[in-house]
Amino acid sequence: MCSSDLAYMVTDIDAAIERWHSEHGVGPWLVTRNAAPLSNAYYRGVKAEHCRVNIAFAYVGDMQLELIELIGETPGLYKEALDQQRFGVHHYAVLVEDFAQAYNYLLDNGYEAVIDSGVDGLARMSYMEHPETRMILEVIEWNPLTRPYFIGIGQKVKSADQSQLIHEFELADITPKLAVMLQLIRFS
């Protein structure tokens, strides 16, 4: 299991980017707006409504920083954090080769699945929360479908014009279409 990302909930993504840049020198940022990143998702065991978010990515060394701004009032983990005024680290993302093993390990050690998303055999992602510590781990299956996505974000941020703080993009721009097709063929 390797750590890949620290994520923060924010109420205004542009203001948060400016604050991270002015206070910590972080940037440039890659920003996608009005995105729906969770597919086939279940929130606390019930089919989840599609939520829309603005997401910003930057790097400090090899660590990806992620800012998430919920658009609207869609019930879910992001809304919970906002309702509870939890604006520190929202979650840590970890990339795992064996998703089922990591998922079951966390369940066996007191974590609860808050969000389950994806499709077995293709790509899975779950937000796992420890009820006592409130620590949330985003567990992401690391495979030929997810690798190009994370590598693509990293390459886009690191190759971005350093004199421009915000670079807009669409999630579809980095979706590894060939990898998706190969996984679907393998899956069927």
Side-chain angles (χ1 to χ4, degrees):
M1 188 173 349
C2 70
S3 178
S4 76
D5 166 296
L6 285 172
Y8 295 81
M9 289 299 303
V10 300
T11 56
D12 181 330
I13 205 149
D14 295 300
I17 288 169
E18 287 292 335
R19 189 171 51 257
W20 274 90
H21 181 67
S22 66
E23 293 178 12
H24 306 290
V26 177
W29 291 84
L30 198 60
V31 178
T32 185
R33 298 182 192 274
N34 200 30
L38 301 175
S39 61
N40 193 36
Y42 287 81
Y43 167 60
R44 300 198 183 277
V46 177
K47 183 74 173 163
E49 295 178 39
H50 287 285
C51 75
R52 294 272 173 195
V53 292
N54 294 326
I55 309 172
F57 301 97
Y59 278 80
V60 175
D62 290 333
M63 180 60 66
Q64 182 184 87
L65 294 179
E66 178 182 9
L67 306 178
I68 304 167
E69 175 189 7
L70 178 64
I71 300 169
E73 297 288 320
T74 306
L77 188 60
Y78 303 143
K79 177 125 175 41
E80 279 182 22
L82 294 174
D83 288 348
Q84 297 167 10
Q85 302 282 314
R86 293 174 61 196
F87 294 107
V89 173
H90 179 262
H91 67 265
Y92 301 89
V94 292
L95 307 170
V96 298
E97 297 281 343
D98 187 334
F99 183 86
Q101 180 183 15
Y103 186 88
N104 289 323
Y105 175 85
L106 291 169
L107 288 175
D108 291 345
N109 284 279
Y111 282 79
E112 299 171 352
V114 179
I115 300 279
D116 282 317
S117 180
V119 177
D120 283 334
L122 288 177
R124 293 279 318 272
M125 184 282 296
S126 290
Y127 283 107
M128 309 289 290
E129 181 177 33
H130 195 282
E132 293 172 18
T133 64
R134 308 288 309 268
M135 178 192 216
I136 300 171
L137 293 176
E138 179 184 19
V139 182
I140 302 164
E141 186 172 9
W142 189 238
N143 66 23
L145 188 59
T146 58
R147 255 183 228 107
Y149 173 82
F150 285 93
I151 291 168
I153 288 174
Q155 288 173 340
K156 280 182 104 43
V157 171
K158 290 175 181 178
S159 66
D161 179 354
Q162 298 291 312
S163 67
Q164 181 181 335
L165 184 58
I166 295 175
H167 299 267
E168 304 279 341
F169 83 109
E170 299 292 328
L171 285 178
D173 294 347
I174 58 169
T175 300
K177 292 160 187 64
L178 179 59
V180 170
M181 288 176 37
L182 292 174
Q183 282 292 92
L184 285 172
I185 290 169
R186 186 180 132 290
F187 185 67
S188 56

